[in-house]
Each structure stands twice: as structure tokens, then as C-alpha cells.
Amino acid sequence: MTGLMPIFRRELAGYFATPVAYVFIVIFLVLSGVFCFYLGNFFERGQADLRPFFAFQPWLYLFLIPAIGMRLWAEERKTGTIELLMTLPVSLAGAVLGKFLAAWAFTAIALALTFPMWLTVAYLGQPDHGVILAGYVGSLLMAGGYLAIAACISAVTKNQVIAFVVAVVICFIFTVSGAPLVLDFFAAWAPQTILNAISSFSFITHFNAIVDGVIDLRDLVFFASLIGFWLFANAVVVDLKKASG
Amino acid sequence: MTAMIEIRNLVKQFGPLIAVDDISFSVDRGEVLGFLGPNGAGKSTTMKMITGFLTPTSGAIDVCGHAVADDPIAVKRRVGYLPEGAPAYPDMTPAAYLSFIADVRGLRGADKAKRLDYAVERIGLTGVMQQSIDTLSKGYKRRVGLAQAILHDPEVLILDEPTDGLDPNQKHEVRGLISEMAENKAIVISTHILEEVDAVCSRAMVIADGRVVADGTPAELEARSRFHNAVTLRLEDGATATAAADLAKLDGVAAVEPDGNGRLTLFPTDGAPILDSVGQLVRERGWPVNEIRVEGGRLDDVFREITTGRAEKPDQGAAK
Ligand SMILES: Nc1ncnc2c1ncn2[C@@H]1O[C@H](COP(=O)(O)OP(=O)(O)OP(=O)(O)O)[C@@H](O)[C@H]1O
Ligand SMILES: [Mg+2]
């Protein structure tokens, strides 16, 4: 993990060095609010929880997280700084993790800034704070999953737009793999075990389980191993691709 | 003395293209090795392999006793590298960027401040430290890259075209800096500026098509030039034509050519010194000489000859 900390600090500071970070945070907060209060009928439901807020998060992340992740490696390759980074005394793992953790920390900051929602429900009623906290933990884990995918894809190409589009598509597949639409398609011909396998890759299934307030080890392991897998792939791709211009 | 950089049978292939074709050499402490060679010769590719960025197709590289393949981090700690084009994070200021490099290099506290001050002052970055790298001029970007490379006072410096884009003053500064640092480092630079080889390199290596085609001190390379030991002289107007015919008959003179500026250049046979016999003849005939000098040799001439085989040969037949 040589070099992880300096890379983490540089990357995280980098988000706030340009207006992009602030724009992102504002968009995230505004959309969260719109989805939650307007589409989610937050008030009409008359329940003191953040369920409508969390319900739309996979769809919000689907576009916003690839937007954060697309530049992670594509930009390094485009500007040639990857040659600099890879000839500094840093390990591949340190570089991959440092970048990922900085981007994840940035998402965590954006997510933490939604705290007024929590305050609102706490003011309006008596929410189960444990369930809300579980929701935030689940949300952060899910964001990590999307981000690991986006980071890996961004190492495949120098072009950030391509990185974005491909990452959105892959994230979409992971998002909807548990949805009836997808399962019906496979149900026609695939055996039940395959159906179960497909739906077990769904972010939404695992995320909803956590949002319900049940933090099951299996859901945590799912997101952790998903992140681990994509970061490993990320390292392999960086190593393979760094030389090709 | 063990070599600081030791390279054996290095090969790099990009698909069907062999960019580096079986190169072996070593660099000792105190040496400044200059890579010369036409575009696409494989200079940068060799440097990228020494610094651990590219993995060789075959061959071995040791830096300070560590094999790049086995312990890349140990090698990277000991090497300062200026990649071709001096890439740097465009959104950062030189201050933030160099501080990041210092952190990655493990410099802390007072040591870090001292090294930063030294590099910034030596490379002349003081005025631009708070401006984003994006907006710096090309020369200043190169300087930031140089400061980055020397920041941790590395034992081995690999500089890919370090003076490209620098103004004449800064070129002079950087050459001075390289010579100064050379004493206790092993330095490899690549350059297309041949005078730079004379100015800073203790050894020059010409690479063409991925192979080493010449390796020696700049003086040794110059000795391969047909200008080596040639004598150039300027006579007063009118005397030139007769003198040319007589000088051409002189023993040891292979050819006499006008240089286009009213001077005559006398090329020796086999590079042997001819100044004495030329001087004698001049005195005997009492020609009015305004200027006379011995040529050391011209690197550009040697460079052309060994990288293309097309440098003009002295026209033996016409003169004698
Ligand atoms: N990533 C790559 N993929 C394919 N070919 C490459 C790659 N990098 C370099 N080459 C090729 O390898 C050869 C050597 O390139 P290199 O950059 O080492 O040349 P150079 O001697 O540094 O030239 P210059 O003086 O122009 O800097 C060139 O033909 C180049 O096109
Ligand atoms: Mg080059």
C-alpha cells in the first residue's frame, strides 16, 4: 500500500480545487430533495422515515457516481501523468486504493450533507434512528460498489465520455438485475438457480434489505466483495493499459 | 566500483515493432550519459523501462543493485525521473504539486521544506509557485518537472529531454545544475541538442532503430568526424584560388573545400594532424593568412553519418 495516503490526500483535495465538486454536491442534494419530497410523496405518506429518500438513491447514483469515477484513470492517461504516478515509489494497490478511497470519501461527504432530511423527519415525528443509520450505511456501501465499477472502467479508456457511458451501462445492469423485467426475461428459459444468481447481483435487492433496517452480513459481504473484485480488476487494467500511450 | 545502472540485453517490442533491440550498457556514479538518436530511435522507451514504467519484453535492468523487475519500489525510491513532455497534474499549483511529490517520496518536516526550497530556488520557480500548472508556459512546465525529479536528491537521474523548451539562460542553468549534480549521481539524459552533449555529458551513446550504434566520450565521437583535425583557414582575397590548388597537393591532405564564407577547409587523410605541414607551406609561400584553426570534429556530422550513413564523404578524387 505504499503511497496510499499522499495519493488519497491529493485526490480528495483535488475535488475541491475545482468547482466540479461543488456543482456535483449541489446537484446531488437538489435531486435527492426532488426525488424524496416530490416523487416520493414524503409528506403525504405521513410516516417518519427516510424510505422515499433511499428508494431513489440507486437511480441517482447510477448517473452521478460514474460522473465522479470517469476521470479517475482516464484523465491520468490522457495527460500522461500516469507515467509520473507509476514511476513514483507507490504500489499499484496503493494508487488504486488511494484514488478509490478519495472518491468514496467525497461521495460520503455529499451523502453526509443530506443530514437536513434526517433532521426533518426527526422534527416531524419519531423515526427509528437505527433504521435511518442503516440506510446511510447501505447507501454508502452501494455508492462504493458503483464507484469501484466506474473506477475500473475509467482505466480501460482515455476518453472520459466513453468511460462514463460504459460505466453507466454496467452499473445499470447491476442495478436492475433483480427487477421483475429482467427476471421475467430469463424466467422463460433459464433454471431457477440462474435466476437466483442473477437477482443476487442486484444492488437494489441488497440495498433494500439494508434500508429495511436489517443489516445482514450477507449484504455487507456482497458489497465488500463486489468492491474488492472491481478494484482488483481496476489494478489489472491499469497495469495492462498504462503503456499503451 | 559497481555500476549504478546496469542493463543487459534489453528488448522492447510493441506488437510487430521492435522499439528497443538488445541494448546493454552500464552507467557508473559520476557519469553523465547522453542518449542521442533520431526520432523514434527508442531513447524514451529505454528510459521508461529503467524507471519501471514499461515492462521489458526481455532483458534485465538493475538500478543501485536492485532489479527493476523484482523490487520496483526500491528502484523508484532511488531514481528521479523527468518523463518526456514533463507531465504534471494541470489543476495543481507547483507548490501543491511539489509538496505532493515530497510526501510520496517520504520527505517530512524540516527536511521536506529544505529540499523544496532548494529545488524551487535552483530551478527558478519562485515566481510561479501559486499559479496553476495548466496556465504555465511550456518552459516553466518543464522546470516543474525538473524540480520534481531532483526533489529527493536521488542517486540516479533519468531526464528525457530536460532542456527542451527552456530559454537560453535556463538551458545554461540546467546544464550547470546537471554538471554540478553529476559528481555523486549517475545521470542519463536524452537530447536532440548536440552542443548539450559537449556541454554536460561525459559519455554519449547514439541509438538508432533500437540499437546502440556508437558509444564513447563526446571527444571520441567527434574524432569519427571527417572534420576531426581538419584545418580551416582564411586567406586575403585573391590568394585563395592558388593556395587551394597547392594545399591540395600537400602530403596528408585528402581534400580541400571552400566553406562558403571565403574560408578553405582542409580535410586530413585518416584524421591525422596536418596543422604543422599546412603552417609550413603557408610560411614558405608567404600567403597572407587572416585566420587559421584546427577543427575538433563536428557531432552533427558524426550523428548524421552513423544514423543515416549519408554524411558527405570528402571528395578524394577531385582534390588530388
Ligand atoms: N506505447 C507504444 N505503442 C506502440 N509503439 C510505441 C509505443 N511507445 C513507443 N512506440 C514506438 O517505439 C519507437 C521508439 O519510440 P521512443 O519514444 O522510444 O523514441 P525516441 O527515441 O524517444 O524518439 P524521440 O526523439 O522522438 O523522443 C517508436 O517507433 C514509437 O512509435
Ligand atoms: Mg523520446
Side-chain angles (χ1 to χ4, degrees):
Chain A
M1 299 298 159
T2 327
L4 192 155
M5 272 323 285
I7 291 174
F8 174 81
R9 280 198 303 269
R10 192 199 80 78
E11 292 274 330
L12 190 56
Y15 286 104
F16 297 96
T18 60
V20 179
Y22 303 100
V23 171
F24 175 86
I25 289 178
V26 168
I27 291 178
F28 178 72
L29 294 180
V30 168
L31 288 183
S32 292
V34 168
F35 280 151
C36 174
F37 294 113
Y38 186 69
L39 297 174
N41 298 324
F42 180 74
F43 295 112
E44 291 80 352
R45 287 173 70 244
Q47 294 191 15
D49 60 28
L50 282 181
R51 209 167 272 267
F53 165 62
F54 288 123
F56 287 102
Q57 263 187 337
W59 305 102
L60 202 51
Y61 284 164
L62 177 59
F63 292 98
L64 290 183
I65 302 275
I68 297 182
M70 66 183 185
R71 43 165 292 280
L72 282 183
W73 292 97
E75 198 175 30
E76 294 266 0
R77 282 183 52 203
K78 183 106 191 162
T79 58
T81 44
I82 189 154
E83 183 168 355
L84 183 99
L85 186 64
M86 293 289 125
T87 52
L88 286 172
V90 303
S91 63
L92 190 55
V96 167
L97 266 183
K99 276 173 167 288
F100 170 78
L101 290 177
W104 204 12
F106 175 68
T107 344
I109 292 170
L111 185 60
L113 288 176
T114 61
F115 73 93
M117 306 249 187
W118 194 341
L119 294 185
T120 309
V121 284
Y123 175 75
L124 292 176
Q126 259 97 43
D128 183 336
H129 291 291
V131 171
I132 293 181
L133 186 63
Y136 271 101
V137 170
S139 177
L140 191 58
L141 278 173
M142 185 172 59
Y146 283 117
L147 193 59
I149 293 173
C152 178
I153 300 305
S154 116
V156 177
T157 169
K158 267 195 235 182
N159 186 321
Q160 296 194 25
V161 177
I162 295 177
F164 175 78
V165 173
V166 175
V168 168
V169 169
I170 296 181
C171 288
F172 181 71
I173 293 169
F174 273 90
T175 309
V176 300
S177 65
L181 181 77
V182 179
L183 293 181
D184 288 349
F185 171 74
F186 285 101
W189 48 275
Q192 188 62 35
T193 41
I194 298 209
L195 283 190
N196 289 347
I198 293 171
S199 73
S200 75
F201 275 107
S202 167
F203 279 22
I204 292 188
T205 313
H206 292 278
F207 178 57
N208 283 346
I210 300 177
V211 170
D212 282 339
V214 213
I215 297 199
D216 187 331
L217 191 60
R218 272 175 306 181
D219 299 318
L220 300 186
V221 168
F222 168 76
F223 282 117
S225 44
L226 186 102
I227 291 172
F229 169 80
W230 282 99
L231 288 185
F232 177 76
N234 187 348
V236 171
V237 173
V238 169
D239 204 36
L240 284 177
K241 280 279 184 172
K242 65 180 182 185
S244 54
Chain B
M1 183 164 57
T2 56
M4 304 269 279
I5 304 174
E6 173 95 53
I7 290 175
R8 290 178 303 275
N9 306 105
L10 193 63
V11 175
K12 180 69 190 180
Q13 251 175 297
F14 294 109
L17 176 88
I18 304 179
V20 173
D21 190 1
D22 196 21
I23 285 185
S24 303
F25 65 90
S26 62
V27 188
D28 292 328
R29 192 186 294 274
E31 263 190 305
V32 181
L33 171 62
F35 275 172
L36 299 174
N39 293 133
K43 304 180 295 293
S44 299
T45 305
T46 305
M47 291 181 154
K48 284 174 206 219
M49 289 190 281
I50 300 174
T51 53
F53 181 62
L54 291 183
T55 314
T57 305
S58 67
I61 306 170
D62 289 345
V63 176
C64 304
H66 299 274
V68 177
D70 300 337
D71 196 351
I73 305 247
V75 169
K76 290 168 185 176
R77 279 208 180 95
R78 289 166 175 80
V79 174
Y81 177 38
L82 172 70
E84 189 168 38
Y89 293 107
D91 290 339
M92 300 180 96
T93 63
Y97 176 67
L98 293 177
S99 167
F100 162 67
I101 299 290
D103 290 343
V104 173
R105 295 273 182 201
L107 296 169
R108 300 267 177 278
D111 199 26
K112 173 176 166 180
K114 201 183 90 205
R115 290 301 312 170
L116 281 172
D117 283 350
Y118 174 79
V120 167
E121 201 259 324
R122 241 359 264 266
I123 305 286
L125 281 173
T126 319
V128 300
M129 286 300 275
Q130 301 305 331
Q131 192 182 335
S132 91
I133 292 176
D134 216 9
T135 65
L136 292 179
S137 72
K138 177 179 162 197
Y140 270 107
K141 279 181 193 157
R142 177 84 28 164
R143 293 195 210 181
V144 172
L146 272 169
Q148 170 273 126
I150 65 163
L151 194 60
H152 56 301
D153 194 18
E155 288 179 86
V156 172
L157 263 181
I158 311 280
L159 307 174
D160 204 343
E161 303 188 18
T163 58
D164 183 39
L166 298 186
D167 63 54
N169 297 336
Q170 196 57 29
K171 270 198 183 103
H172 182 78
E173 268 294 305
V174 167
R175 286 173 192 164
L177 179 64
I178 292 175
S179 306
E180 191 181 302
M181 292 186 303
E183 203 179 319
N184 50 10
K185 295 187 199 313
I187 303 179
V188 181
I189 68 169
S190 77
T191 180
H192 290 297
I193 309 169
L194 295 171
E195 66 190 62
E196 195 154 284
V197 175
D198 260 332
V200 298
C201 297
S202 61
R203 180 174 156 202
M205 197 150 134
V206 183
I207 299 178
D209 291 329
R211 293 168 178 274
V212 179
V213 290
D215 183 0
T217 63
E220 281 165 6
L221 283 190
E222 279 164 5
R224 294 170 61 161
S225 161
R226 71 193 187 99
F227 283 94
H228 180 61
N229 281 339
V231 172
T232 299
L233 76 173
R234 182 203 289 277
L235 303 175
E236 231 148 66
D237 296 345
T240 314
T242 41
D246 288 349
L247 284 166
K249 294 195 194 89
L250 208 58
D251 253 359
V253 175
V256 176
E257 286 176 14
D259 79 342
N261 293 316
R263 297 190 198 87
L264 290 173
T265 303
L266 285 58
F267 294 98
T269 317
D270 301 327
I274 50 167
L275 181 63
D276 281 353
S277 43
V278 172
Q280 207 178 343
L281 187 67
V282 166
R283 274 192 302 279
E284 273 171 22
R285 305 290 165 93
W287 287 325
V289 174
N290 287 341
E291 182 189 334
I292 183 161
R293 76 183 132 90
V294 180
E295 305 271 351
R298 296 185 187 170
L299 269 181
D300 58 347
D301 196 55
V302 182
F303 181 84
R304 248 195 323 279
E305 184 171 354
I306 55 193
T307 56
T308 65
R310 263 189 275 118
E312 337 108 61
K313 294 268 176 322
D315 196 346
Q316 310 270 353
K320 274 229 149 153

